[in-house]
Amino acid sequence: MRTCFQRHRLLLLFLFLSEIFSSVGGSSVQEVIGAVGESVTFTTSVPVSGNLIYKGGTVGQVLNKQSDTNTSEKFMNRLDWVSQSGFFTLSDLRTDDSGLYTVESLKEPKGRQDYQLEVYERVSAPQVKNTTYNSSELCSFLCSVRNVRGLKLDLYEDDVLLNHTSSSNTSDTTLNLHLEIKKTDDHRRRTFSCVASNRVSTEKTTIDITHYCSLNTDIDDDNQKRNVIIPVVVSVLSVLAVIVTFVYLRKRKRESRRRTEDSSATEGLNEEVQYSVINHKKPTQANIRERVPEEACPLTTIYDQIRPERSEYSNSGPE
């Protein structure tokens, strides 16, 4: 009899403790994570009547399946009650929406649930900057990203974490992570990456080491020599080109002038006129008598000899 009574006491104690733990579990705070510009849903149903409470003040009401979600200016046109599910939904999230929300259902099924909403901005892609200065052995660069709430910045070589940092507050505008490596050809076969993340987003930037710094010091020396030699060679070739052009133009000018002079001389010779004196013999009486009338004999062509005119110098000499 005593044993049976003890069993009943243990059973009642077990049921009592189960009720306590279930009630405590039902009132525990659930964490809800949201991103700026997106929406979240509080998954405690209010099918008939109930409230949504934010920091002690009612921001949404449901009474006999009729809702009023514009009671707060802060959540104006952003808070909705879905009649099919009985859930409250908050859209177009802002960082200042973070805080404690309570959903309570006043009619069957009754219930109450607290939600801790945390709203985060999405992270941007990290930017990589070369910070190597006059070093032939070391290569360094800086990985930076715009600082937002809950930001973490990690630097990886392949899948191995090399360095990391996180933001304790958002007063700093950027979060930076510095890396310095020794120049070796072995790094050409490795992949470096900078990863920015928080609870709602992740962005990754792959770092091409050969782009930000040369890993071969001999190549660096050759590049420096080439950078010096090329401008010198270009300068010399430019001067030679100017000299050759000047000589060529001068030669063409001389040839053109010579052709002009030759042409003028030729035209002068063509314009000279040579004069000669034609001497005629006077007819004699004998020749006159021997003439025959033109009607009695055929026409005959007579040619006279042309002799050059003598100059004054020739006339003044001995005859």
Side-chain angles (χ1 to χ4, degrees):
M1 185 70 178
R2 183 178 296 179
T3 304
C4 184
F5 179 73
Q6 289 179 349
R7 288 180 179 176
H8 282 292
R9 288 180 62 183
L10 291 174
L11 181 60
L12 291 173
L13 179 61
F14 176 77
L15 293 174
F16 177 74
L17 292 176
S18 298
E19 183 68 23
I20 291 176
F21 286 127
S22 62
S23 62
V24 171
S27 62
S28 63
V29 178
Q30 292 187 14
E31 187 177 38
V32 179
I33 305 300
V36 171
E38 297 185 356
S39 62
V40 294
T41 298
F42 302 105
T43 56
T44 296
S45 180
V46 181
V48 181
S49 298
N51 301 300
L52 176 64
I53 301 170
Y54 172 68
K55 293 183 178 181
T58 301
V59 295
Q61 291 182 339
V62 178
L63 182 60
N64 295 326
K65 297 185 179 182
Q66 299 297 319
S67 65
D68 183 5
T69 54
N70 290 324
T71 60
S72 172
E73 184 177 354
K74 176 180 175 64
F75 300 105
M76 188 71 67
N77 299 322
R78 297 196 296 130
L79 182 62
D80 295 304
W81 176 75
V82 182
S83 59
Q84 290 82 358
S85 62
F87 296 157
F88 284 100
T89 298
L90 181 60
S91 59
D92 193 17
L93 291 175
R94 308 169 186 170
T95 55
D96 60 357
D97 290 338
S98 300
L100 182 65
Y101 294 78
T102 301
V103 179
E104 58 180 6
S105 178
L106 302 178
K107 291 188 178 182
E108 296 297 336
K110 292 183 179 180
R112 179 185 178 93
Q113 180 63 55
D114 294 329
Y115 296 91
Q116 180 62 39
L117 174 63
E118 301 294 343
V119 181
Y120 295 87
E121 291 185 68
R122 291 188 174 277
V123 300
S124 57
Q127 302 294 318
V128 180
K129 179 182 179 182
N130 185 8
T131 56
T132 305
Y133 297 102
N134 300 324
S135 175
S136 60
E137 296 182 355
L138 298 176
C139 177
S140 62
F141 53 88
L142 187 69
C143 182
S144 60
V145 66
R146 184 177 65 88
N147 196 8
V148 295
R149 183 186 178 197
L151 176 65
K152 292 197 307 179
L153 190 60
D154 301 321
L155 193 59
Y156 290 90
E157 181 180 359
D158 294 333
D159 295 327
V160 179
L161 180 63
L162 298 179
N163 200 357
H164 67 93
T165 186
S166 60
S167 64
S168 57
N169 56 70
T170 56
S171 59
D172 299 329
T173 56
T174 59
L175 192 65
N176 301 313
L177 198 59
H178 183 264
L179 178 66
E180 190 173 71
I181 62 174
K182 188 174 181 179
K183 293 181 179 180
T184 61
D185 289 336
D186 182 61
H187 286 99
R188 296 180 185 275
R189 296 184 293 271
R190 298 183 180 274
T191 301
F192 292 82
S193 59
C194 193
V195 180
S197 63
N198 63 3
R199 301 187 70 178
V200 295
S201 62
T202 300
E203 291 290 343
K204 178 180 178 180
T205 298
T206 302
I207 304 170
D208 184 0
I209 295 297
T210 58
H211 173 73
Y212 290 100
C213 56
S214 175
L215 300 179
N216 192 328
T217 56
D218 294 336
I219 294 177
D220 287 343
D221 295 337
D222 292 340
N223 289 336
Q224 291 179 358
K225 292 178 182 178
R226 191 179 298 110
N227 292 336
V228 173
I229 293 174
I230 290 178
V232 174
V233 172
V234 171
S235 300
V236 172
L237 292 177
S238 299
V239 172
L240 290 176
V242 171
I243 294 174
V244 170
T245 302
F246 175 77
V247 172
Y248 174 74
L249 293 176
R250 188 173 181 181
K251 184 177 179 181
R252 287 200 59 181
K253 186 175 181 181
R254 288 180 178 177
E255 291 177 354
S256 177
R257 185 184 301 171
R258 187 178 303 162
R259 285 196 296 267
T260 302
E261 292 176 353
D262 293 343
S263 177
S264 300
T266 304
E267 291 177 358
L269 290 175
N270 292 334
E271 291 178 356
E272 290 182 359
V273 179
Q274 295 182 356
Y275 296 91
S276 298
V277 177
I278 300 175
N279 294 324
H280 298 273
K281 290 183 178 181
K282 294 180 179 181
T284 59
Q285 292 295 328
N287 292 334
I288 295 173
R289 293 190 190 101
E290 294 178 357
R291 284 187 177 181
V292 181
E294 293 181 359
E295 296 81 1
C297 62
L299 294 177
T300 303
T301 302
I302 300 174
Y303 295 92
D304 199 357
Q305 183 178 5
I306 299 174
R307 290 180 300 173
E309 181 182 7
R310 294 187 179 184
S311 63
E312 295 178 358
Y313 178 79
S314 300
N315 295 331
S316 61
E319 296 180 357

